[in-house]
Amino acid sequence: RDLFKKNTSVKAGGLALTICGCVFNIGLSLAVVILLLVSVFLGQFPIGIKIALSILLPFLTGSAVMTWRGSSMMSSVKRYRNYILALQGKTYCNLKELAARNKKSVSFTVKDIRKMIDKGWFRQGHLNQDNTCLIVSDKTYQEYENIQRQRIEQQKQEEERRLQNSVRTTEC
């Protein structure tokens, strides 16, 4: 099973949203500016211009949101591809390295990767318990969990030995 989603559709969707949003932004902004200039030249603010602006401004806002959303989608795909490149064929990577590669904070990177895992971009993706490591393979994650269990078991055994030793020394 693939470890990574291709995301060409997300990139294409982001590009389409950005382009459409920009085109609509330019056209609607131009229309709003022309209407405002007409009002200035008329020296009044006629009801027709008020109605036109009340229709155009929500569309302008919507096109701005389209542009922002498309740009955001393309940025996410870019960061995702940088994360994959940073793995360099490995199935795990320290989040500090991933954050540095994308010039983002570790906390942003944790949230970003968690979203990508939730969206299924990292098909077998996991974050370790401390949110310090991205593990992109179920097999590697199982190995990590086994090592964690062994470490906890060793700590319990060491604690029991210490308790037994302290009991022995107090009995003497």
Short mmCIF file of all heavy atoms in Angstrom, two decimals, residues 12-75:
data_model
loop_
_atom_site.label_atom_id
_atom_site.label_comp_id
_atom_site.label_asym_id
_atom_site.label_seq_id
_atom_site.Cartn_x
_atom_site.Cartn_y
_atom_site.Cartn_z
N ALA A 12 -4.55 20.95 -8.20
CA ALA A 12 -5.33 21.49 -9.33
C ALA A 12 -6.52 22.30 -8.83
O ALA A 12 -6.81 23.39 -9.36
CB ALA A 12 -5.80 20.35 -10.23
N GLY A 13 -7.19 21.81 -7.80
CA GLY A 13 -8.32 22.54 -7.23
C GLY A 13 -7.89 23.87 -6.63
O GLY A 13 -8.56 24.89 -6.80
N GLY A 14 -6.76 23.84 -5.94
CA GLY A 14 -6.23 25.07 -5.36
C GLY A 14 -5.85 26.08 -6.42
O GLY A 14 -6.12 27.28 -6.29
N LEU A 15 -5.25 25.59 -7.48
CA LEU A 15 -4.86 26.48 -8.59
C LEU A 15 -6.10 27.08 -9.25
O LEU A 15 -6.15 28.29 -9.51
CB LEU A 15 -4.03 25.71 -9.62
CG LEU A 15 -3.46 26.51 -10.78
CD1 LEU A 15 -2.52 27.60 -10.27
CD2 LEU A 15 -2.73 25.59 -11.75
N ALA A 16 -7.12 26.25 -9.49
CA ALA A 16 -8.36 26.73 -10.11
C ALA A 16 -9.04 27.78 -9.23
O ALA A 16 -9.49 28.83 -9.73
CB ALA A 16 -9.31 25.57 -10.38
N LEU A 17 -9.12 27.51 -7.93
CA LEU A 17 -9.74 28.48 -7.02
C LEU A 17 -8.97 29.80 -7.01
O LEU A 17 -9.56 30.88 -7.01
CB LEU A 17 -9.80 27.92 -5.59
CG LEU A 17 -10.95 27.00 -5.26
CD1 LEU A 17 -10.78 26.41 -3.86
CD2 LEU A 17 -12.28 27.73 -5.35
N THR A 18 -7.65 29.70 -6.97
CA THR A 18 -6.82 30.91 -6.94
C THR A 18 -7.01 31.73 -8.21
O THR A 18 -7.21 32.96 -8.14
CB THR A 18 -5.34 30.54 -6.77
OG1 THR A 18 -5.19 29.78 -5.57
CG2 THR A 18 -4.46 31.78 -6.69
N ILE A 19 -6.94 31.08 -9.35
CA ILE A 19 -7.08 31.80 -10.62
C ILE A 19 -8.47 32.42 -10.74
O ILE A 19 -8.59 33.62 -11.06
CB ILE A 19 -6.78 30.87 -11.82
CG1 ILE A 19 -5.29 30.53 -11.83
CG2 ILE A 19 -7.21 31.51 -13.13
CD1 ILE A 19 -4.91 29.44 -12.82
N CYS A 20 -9.52 31.61 -10.48
CA CYS A 20 -10.88 32.15 -10.59
C CYS A 20 -11.10 33.29 -9.60
O CYS A 20 -11.69 34.31 -9.94
CB CYS A 20 -11.91 31.04 -10.35
SG CYS A 20 -11.99 29.84 -11.68
N GLY A 21 -10.62 33.10 -8.37
CA GLY A 21 -10.76 34.14 -7.35
C GLY A 21 -10.08 35.42 -7.77
O GLY A 21 -10.64 36.52 -7.62
N CYS A 22 -8.87 35.31 -8.32
CA CYS A 22 -8.14 36.51 -8.77
C CYS A 22 -8.86 37.21 -9.92
O CYS A 22 -8.98 38.44 -9.92
CB CYS A 22 -6.73 36.13 -9.20
SG CYS A 22 -5.61 35.81 -7.83
N VAL A 23 -9.34 36.43 -10.89
CA VAL A 23 -10.05 37.02 -12.03
C VAL A 23 -11.30 37.75 -11.55
O VAL A 23 -11.56 38.90 -11.94
CB VAL A 23 -10.40 35.94 -13.08
CG1 VAL A 23 -11.38 36.46 -14.11
CG2 VAL A 23 -9.12 35.43 -13.76
N PHE A 24 -12.07 37.08 -10.69
CA PHE A 24 -13.29 37.72 -10.16
C PHE A 24 -12.93 38.95 -9.32
O PHE A 24 -13.61 39.97 -9.38
CB PHE A 24 -14.12 36.75 -9.32
CG PHE A 24 -14.78 35.68 -10.12
CD1 PHE A 24 -14.85 34.38 -9.64
CD2 PHE A 24 -15.35 35.93 -11.36
CE1 PHE A 24 -15.46 33.37 -10.38
CE2 PHE A 24 -15.97 34.94 -12.10
CZ PHE A 24 -16.03 33.64 -11.60
N ASN A 25 -11.87 38.84 -8.52
CA ASN A 25 -11.42 39.98 -7.71
C ASN A 25 -11.11 41.19 -8.59
O ASN A 25 -11.52 42.31 -8.28
CB ASN A 25 -10.17 39.62 -6.91
CG ASN A 25 -10.47 39.16 -5.51
OD1 ASN A 25 -11.47 39.55 -4.93
ND2 ASN A 25 -9.62 38.30 -4.99
N ILE A 26 -10.36 40.96 -9.64
CA ILE A 26 -9.98 42.07 -10.52
C ILE A 26 -11.23 42.69 -11.16
O ILE A 26 -11.41 43.91 -11.13
CB ILE A 26 -8.98 41.59 -11.60
CG1 ILE A 26 -7.65 41.24 -10.93
CG2 ILE A 26 -8.79 42.65 -12.68
CD1 ILE A 26 -6.68 40.48 -11.83
N GLY A 27 -12.08 41.85 -11.73
CA GLY A 27 -13.29 42.36 -12.39
C GLY A 27 -14.23 43.08 -11.45
O GLY A 27 -14.70 44.20 -11.73
N LEU A 28 -14.48 42.47 -10.30
CA LEU A 28 -15.41 43.08 -9.34
C LEU A 28 -14.81 44.34 -8.71
O LEU A 28 -15.53 45.32 -8.49
CB LEU A 28 -15.80 42.06 -8.26
CG LEU A 28 -16.66 40.89 -8.77
CD1 LEU A 28 -16.76 39.81 -7.70
CD2 LEU A 28 -18.04 41.36 -9.19
N SER A 29 -13.51 44.30 -8.42
CA SER A 29 -12.86 45.50 -7.86
C SER A 29 -12.92 46.65 -8.85
O SER A 29 -13.19 47.80 -8.46
CB SER A 29 -11.39 45.21 -7.52
OG SER A 29 -11.31 44.25 -6.51
N LEU A 30 -12.70 46.35 -10.09
CA LEU A 30 -12.79 47.36 -11.12
C LEU A 30 -14.19 47.96 -11.19
O LEU A 30 -14.36 49.19 -11.26
CB LEU A 30 -12.39 46.76 -12.48
CG LEU A 30 -12.07 47.71 -13.60
CD1 LEU A 30 -10.92 48.63 -13.22
CD2 LEU A 30 -11.73 46.93 -14.86
N ALA A 31 -15.20 47.10 -11.13
CA ALA A 31 -16.59 47.57 -11.17
C ALA A 31 -16.90 48.46 -9.97
O ALA A 31 -17.55 49.51 -10.10
CB ALA A 31 -17.54 46.38 -11.22
N VAL A 32 -16.43 48.05 -8.78
CA VAL A 32 -16.68 48.85 -7.56
C VAL A 32 -15.99 50.21 -7.67
O VAL A 32 -16.58 51.25 -7.34
CB VAL A 32 -16.20 48.07 -6.30
CG1 VAL A 32 -16.16 48.97 -5.09
CG2 VAL A 32 -17.10 46.86 -6.05
N VAL A 33 -14.74 50.22 -8.14
CA VAL A 33 -14.01 51.48 -8.28
C VAL A 33 -14.72 52.40 -9.28
O VAL A 33 -14.88 53.61 -9.02
CB VAL A 33 -12.54 51.23 -8.71
CG1 VAL A 33 -11.85 52.51 -9.15
CG2 VAL A 33 -11.76 50.59 -7.57
N ILE A 34 -15.17 51.86 -10.41
CA ILE A 34 -15.89 52.67 -11.41
C ILE A 34 -17.17 53.26 -10.81
O ILE A 34 -17.45 54.45 -10.98
CB ILE A 34 -16.19 51.84 -12.67
CG1 ILE A 34 -14.88 51.57 -13.42
CG2 ILE A 34 -17.21 52.53 -13.57
CD1 ILE A 34 -15.00 50.56 -14.54
N LEU A 35 -17.92 52.43 -10.07
CA LEU A 35 -19.15 52.93 -9.44
C LEU A 35 -18.85 54.04 -8.43
O LEU A 35 -19.57 55.05 -8.37
CB LEU A 35 -19.91 51.79 -8.76
CG LEU A 35 -20.62 50.81 -9.69
CD1 LEU A 35 -21.18 49.63 -8.89
CD2 LEU A 35 -21.75 51.51 -10.44
N LEU A 36 -17.78 53.87 -7.67
CA LEU A 36 -17.43 54.90 -6.68
C LEU A 36 -16.97 56.18 -7.39
O LEU A 36 -17.31 57.29 -6.94
CB LEU A 36 -16.35 54.38 -5.73
CG LEU A 36 -16.80 53.28 -4.77
CD1 LEU A 36 -15.61 52.74 -3.99
CD2 LEU A 36 -17.88 53.78 -3.83
N LEU A 37 -16.22 56.05 -8.47
CA LEU A 37 -15.79 57.24 -9.22
C LEU A 37 -16.98 57.96 -9.84
O LEU A 37 -17.04 59.20 -9.84
CB LEU A 37 -14.79 56.86 -10.32
CG LEU A 37 -13.38 56.49 -9.84
CD1 LEU A 37 -12.52 55.99 -10.99
CD2 LEU A 37 -12.72 57.67 -9.14
N VAL A 38 -17.94 57.22 -10.35
CA VAL A 38 -19.16 57.82 -10.91
C VAL A 38 -19.89 58.61 -9.83
O VAL A 38 -20.35 59.74 -10.06
CB VAL A 38 -20.08 56.74 -11.55
CG1 VAL A 38 -21.46 57.29 -11.85
CG2 VAL A 38 -19.43 56.18 -12.80
N SER A 39 -19.98 58.05 -8.63
CA SER A 39 -20.65 58.76 -7.53
C SER A 39 -19.92 60.05 -7.18
O SER A 39 -20.55 61.07 -6.90
CB SER A 39 -20.73 57.96 -6.24
OG SER A 39 -20.85 56.64 -6.38
N VAL A 40 -18.58 59.99 -7.19
CA VAL A 40 -17.80 61.18 -6.87
C VAL A 40 -18.04 62.25 -7.94
O VAL A 40 -18.25 63.43 -7.61
CB VAL A 40 -16.29 60.83 -6.77
CG1 VAL A 40 -15.43 62.09 -6.74
CG2 VAL A 40 -16.02 59.98 -5.54
N PHE A 41 -18.02 61.87 -9.20
CA PHE A 41 -18.25 62.83 -10.28
C PHE A 41 -19.67 63.39 -10.27
O PHE A 41 -19.88 64.55 -10.59
CB PHE A 41 -17.93 62.22 -11.65
CG PHE A 41 -16.47 62.06 -11.89
CD1 PHE A 41 -15.94 60.83 -12.27
CD2 PHE A 41 -15.59 63.12 -11.75
CE1 PHE A 41 -14.58 60.67 -12.49
CE2 PHE A 41 -14.23 62.97 -11.98
CZ PHE A 41 -13.72 61.75 -12.34
N LEU A 42 -20.62 62.56 -9.87
CA LEU A 42 -22.01 63.04 -9.78
C LEU A 42 -22.22 63.94 -8.57
O LEU A 42 -23.17 64.71 -8.53
CB LEU A 42 -22.99 61.86 -9.73
CG LEU A 42 -23.15 61.02 -11.01
CD1 LEU A 42 -24.08 59.85 -10.74
CD2 LEU A 42 -23.70 61.88 -12.14
N GLY A 43 -21.37 63.76 -7.60
CA GLY A 43 -21.51 64.56 -6.38
C GLY A 43 -22.62 64.02 -5.48
O GLY A 43 -23.00 64.67 -4.51
N GLN A 44 -23.10 62.86 -5.78
CA GLN A 44 -24.13 62.23 -4.94
C GLN A 44 -23.95 60.73 -5.01
O GLN A 44 -23.17 60.20 -5.78
CB GLN A 44 -25.51 62.65 -5.41
CG GLN A 44 -25.79 62.33 -6.87
CD GLN A 44 -27.15 62.83 -7.31
OE1 GLN A 44 -27.97 63.16 -6.48
NE2 GLN A 44 -27.38 62.87 -8.61
N PHE A 45 -24.74 60.06 -4.20
CA PHE A 45 -24.66 58.60 -4.11
C PHE A 45 -26.03 58.04 -4.47
O PHE A 45 -26.82 57.70 -3.59
CB PHE A 45 -24.26 58.24 -2.68
CG PHE A 45 -23.53 56.94 -2.55
CD1 PHE A 45 -22.41 56.65 -3.32
CD2 PHE A 45 -23.96 55.99 -1.64
CE1 PHE A 45 -21.73 55.45 -3.18
CE2 PHE A 45 -23.29 54.80 -1.50
CZ PHE A 45 -22.17 54.52 -2.27
N PRO A 46 -26.37 57.93 -5.75
CA PRO A 46 -27.71 57.52 -6.18
C PRO A 46 -28.06 56.10 -5.72
O PRO A 46 -27.18 55.28 -5.49
CB PRO A 46 -27.66 57.58 -7.70
CG PRO A 46 -26.36 58.19 -8.07
CD PRO A 46 -25.49 58.19 -6.87
N ILE A 47 -29.35 55.86 -5.62
CA ILE A 47 -29.84 54.57 -5.16
C ILE A 47 -29.38 53.43 -6.06
O ILE A 47 -29.10 52.33 -5.58
CB ILE A 47 -31.40 54.58 -5.01
CG1 ILE A 47 -31.91 53.30 -4.32
CG2 ILE A 47 -32.06 54.71 -6.37
CD1 ILE A 47 -31.67 53.28 -2.87
N GLY A 48 -29.27 53.66 -7.35
CA GLY A 48 -28.81 52.64 -8.29
C GLY A 48 -27.40 52.17 -7.98
O GLY A 48 -27.09 50.98 -8.06
N ILE A 49 -26.54 53.11 -7.63
CA ILE A 49 -25.16 52.77 -7.28
C ILE A 49 -25.12 52.02 -5.95
O ILE A 49 -24.38 51.06 -5.78
CB ILE A 49 -24.26 54.03 -7.27
CG1 ILE A 49 -24.11 54.53 -8.71
CG2 ILE A 49 -22.91 53.74 -6.65
CD1 ILE A 49 -23.27 55.77 -8.87
N LYS A 50 -25.96 52.45 -5.00
CA LYS A 50 -26.04 51.75 -3.71
C LYS A 50 -26.47 50.30 -3.90
O LYS A 50 -25.90 49.39 -3.30
CB LYS A 50 -27.01 52.47 -2.77
CG LYS A 50 -26.50 53.78 -2.26
CD LYS A 50 -27.54 54.43 -1.36
CE LYS A 50 -27.08 55.81 -0.91
NZ LYS A 50 -28.07 56.50 -0.10
N ILE A 51 -27.48 50.09 -4.75
CA ILE A 51 -27.96 48.73 -5.01
C ILE A 51 -26.87 47.91 -5.69
O ILE A 51 -26.60 46.76 -5.31
CB ILE A 51 -29.24 48.76 -5.87
CG1 ILE A 51 -30.40 49.35 -5.07
CG2 ILE A 51 -29.61 47.37 -6.38
CD1 ILE A 51 -31.65 49.65 -5.88
N ALA A 52 -26.20 48.49 -6.70
CA ALA A 52 -25.13 47.78 -7.41
C ALA A 52 -23.99 47.40 -6.45
O ALA A 52 -23.49 46.26 -6.48
CB ALA A 52 -24.60 48.65 -8.55
N LEU A 53 -23.61 48.32 -5.58
CA LEU A 53 -22.55 48.03 -4.62
C LEU A 53 -22.98 46.96 -3.61
O LEU A 53 -22.17 46.10 -3.24
CB LEU A 53 -22.11 49.30 -3.88
CG LEU A 53 -21.29 50.29 -4.70
CD1 LEU A 53 -21.03 51.57 -3.90
CD2 LEU A 53 -19.98 49.66 -5.14
N SER A 54 -24.25 47.02 -3.19
CA SER A 54 -24.72 46.03 -2.23
C SER A 54 -24.75 44.63 -2.84
O SER A 54 -24.69 43.63 -2.14
CB SER A 54 -26.10 46.40 -1.68
OG SER A 54 -27.07 46.30 -2.70
N ILE A 55 -24.83 44.55 -4.17
CA ILE A 55 -24.77 43.26 -4.86
C ILE A 55 -23.31 42.86 -5.11
O ILE A 55 -22.92 41.70 -4.91
CB ILE A 55 -25.55 43.32 -6.20
CG1 ILE A 55 -27.03 43.49 -5.90
CG2 ILE A 55 -25.30 42.09 -7.05
CD1 ILE A 55 -27.88 43.82 -7.12
N LEU A 56 -22.49 43.80 -5.53
CA LEU A 56 -21.10 43.51 -5.90
C LEU A 56 -20.20 43.18 -4.70
O LEU A 56 -19.34 42.30 -4.79
CB LEU A 56 -20.49 44.67 -6.67
CG LEU A 56 -21.03 44.89 -8.09
CD1 LEU A 56 -20.42 46.15 -8.69
CD2 LEU A 56 -20.75 43.69 -8.97
N LEU A 57 -20.38 43.90 -3.59
CA LEU A 57 -19.47 43.71 -2.45
C LEU A 57 -19.50 42.30 -1.88
O LEU A 57 -18.43 41.74 -1.57
CB LEU A 57 -19.73 44.77 -1.39
CG LEU A 57 -19.26 46.18 -1.80
CD1 LEU A 57 -19.64 47.21 -0.74
CD2 LEU A 57 -17.78 46.22 -2.08
N PRO A 58 -20.67 41.65 -1.70
CA PRO A 58 -20.62 40.26 -1.23
C PRO A 58 -19.90 39.32 -2.22
O PRO A 58 -19.17 38.42 -1.80
CB PRO A 58 -22.10 39.87 -1.11
CG PRO A 58 -22.82 41.16 -0.93
CD PRO A 58 -22.04 42.16 -1.72
N PHE A 59 -20.09 39.56 -3.52
CA PHE A 59 -19.38 38.76 -4.51
C PHE A 59 -17.88 39.01 -4.45
O PHE A 59 -17.07 38.08 -4.62
CB PHE A 59 -19.92 39.02 -5.92
CG PHE A 59 -21.23 38.34 -6.20
CD1 PHE A 59 -22.41 39.07 -6.28
CD2 PHE A 59 -21.29 36.96 -6.36
CE1 PHE A 59 -23.61 38.44 -6.53
CE2 PHE A 59 -22.49 36.32 -6.61
CZ PHE A 59 -23.66 37.05 -6.69
N LEU A 60 -17.50 40.25 -4.21
CA LEU A 60 -16.09 40.59 -4.08
C LEU A 60 -15.49 39.87 -2.87
O LEU A 60 -14.39 39.31 -2.94
CB LEU A 60 -15.91 42.11 -3.95
CG LEU A 60 -14.48 42.63 -3.86
CD1 LEU A 60 -13.69 42.26 -5.11
CD2 LEU A 60 -14.49 44.14 -3.66
N THR A 61 -16.23 39.87 -1.78
CA THR A 61 -15.79 39.15 -0.57
C THR A 61 -15.64 37.65 -0.88
O THR A 61 -14.66 37.02 -0.49
CB THR A 61 -16.78 39.37 0.59
OG1 THR A 61 -16.90 40.77 0.82
CG2 THR A 61 -16.33 38.67 1.85
N GLY A 62 -16.62 37.09 -1.56
CA GLY A 62 -16.56 35.67 -1.91
C GLY A 62 -15.38 35.33 -2.80
O GLY A 62 -14.72 34.30 -2.61
N SER A 63 -15.08 36.21 -3.74
CA SER A 63 -13.94 35.95 -4.62
C SER A 63 -12.62 36.07 -3.85
O SER A 63 -11.66 35.34 -4.13
CB SER A 63 -13.96 36.88 -5.83
OG SER A 63 -13.78 38.22 -5.46
N ALA A 64 -12.58 36.96 -2.87
CA ALA A 64 -11.38 37.07 -2.03
C ALA A 64 -11.19 35.78 -1.22
O ALA A 64 -10.06 35.28 -1.08
CB ALA A 64 -11.48 38.28 -1.10
N VAL A 65 -12.28 35.23 -0.72
CA VAL A 65 -12.22 33.97 0.03
C VAL A 65 -11.76 32.84 -0.90
O VAL A 65 -10.95 31.99 -0.50
CB VAL A 65 -13.59 33.64 0.68
CG1 VAL A 65 -13.61 32.23 1.25
CG2 VAL A 65 -13.91 34.66 1.78
N MET A 66 -12.27 32.83 -2.14
CA MET A 66 -11.83 31.81 -3.11
C MET A 66 -10.32 31.89 -3.33
O MET A 66 -9.63 30.87 -3.34
CB MET A 66 -12.52 32.03 -4.47
CG MET A 66 -13.92 31.53 -4.56
SD MET A 66 -14.69 31.93 -6.15
CE MET A 66 -13.69 31.03 -7.30
N THR A 67 -9.82 33.09 -3.51
CA THR A 67 -8.39 33.29 -3.74
C THR A 67 -7.59 32.80 -2.54
O THR A 67 -6.60 32.06 -2.69
CB THR A 67 -8.08 34.78 -4.00
OG1 THR A 67 -8.87 35.22 -5.09
CG2 THR A 67 -6.61 35.01 -4.30
N TRP A 68 -8.02 33.19 -1.35
CA TRP A 68 -7.32 32.78 -0.13
C TRP A 68 -7.34 31.27 0.04
O TRP A 68 -6.32 30.65 0.34
CB TRP A 68 -7.96 33.47 1.09
CG TRP A 68 -7.48 32.89 2.37
CD1 TRP A 68 -6.30 33.15 3.00
CD2 TRP A 68 -8.16 31.92 3.17
NE1 TRP A 68 -6.20 32.40 4.15
CE2 TRP A 68 -7.34 31.64 4.27
CE3 TRP A 68 -9.39 31.28 3.07
CZ2 TRP A 68 -7.70 30.74 5.26
CZ3 TRP A 68 -9.74 30.37 4.05
CH2 TRP A 68 -8.91 30.11 5.13
N ARG A 69 -8.50 30.66 -0.17
CA ARG A 69 -8.64 29.21 0.01
C ARG A 69 -7.77 28.45 -1.01
O ARG A 69 -7.10 27.48 -0.67
CB ARG A 69 -10.11 28.80 -0.12
CG ARG A 69 -10.37 27.36 0.17
CD ARG A 69 -10.11 27.04 1.63
NE ARG A 69 -10.22 25.62 1.83
CZ ARG A 69 -9.26 24.87 2.37
NH1 ARG A 69 -8.16 25.42 2.82
NH2 ARG A 69 -9.42 23.58 2.49
N GLY A 70 -7.79 28.88 -2.25
CA GLY A 70 -6.98 28.24 -3.28
C GLY A 70 -5.50 28.35 -2.97
O GLY A 70 -4.74 27.37 -3.09
N SER A 71 -5.08 29.53 -2.55
CA SER A 71 -3.68 29.75 -2.20
C SER A 71 -3.29 28.87 -1.01
O SER A 71 -2.20 28.29 -0.96
CB SER A 71 -3.47 31.22 -1.88
OG SER A 71 -2.17 31.45 -1.44
N SER A 72 -4.18 28.77 -0.04
CA SER A 72 -3.96 27.94 1.15
C SER A 72 -3.81 26.47 0.77
O SER A 72 -2.93 25.77 1.29
CB SER A 72 -5.12 28.14 2.12
OG SER A 72 -5.01 27.27 3.21
N MET A 73 -4.66 26.00 -0.15
CA MET A 73 -4.57 24.61 -0.59
C MET A 73 -3.24 24.34 -1.28
O MET A 73 -2.59 23.30 -1.02
CB MET A 73 -5.73 24.29 -1.55
CG MET A 73 -7.07 24.20 -0.87
SD MET A 73 -8.46 24.17 -2.04
CE MET A 73 -8.24 22.58 -2.82
N MET A 74 -2.81 25.25 -2.13
CA MET A 74 -1.54 25.06 -2.84
C MET A 74 -0.35 25.11 -1.87
O MET A 74 0.60 24.35 -2.02
CB MET A 74 -1.39 26.09 -3.95
CG MET A 74 -2.35 25.85 -5.09
SD MET A 74 -2.12 26.81 -6.60
CE MET A 74 -1.47 28.34 -6.09
N SER A 75 -0.44 25.96 -0.86
CA SER A 75 0.63 26.03 0.15
C SER A 75 0.71 24.73 0.95
O SER A 75 1.80 24.25 1.25
CB SER A 75 0.40 27.20 1.11
OG SER A 75 0.51 28.42 0.43
#
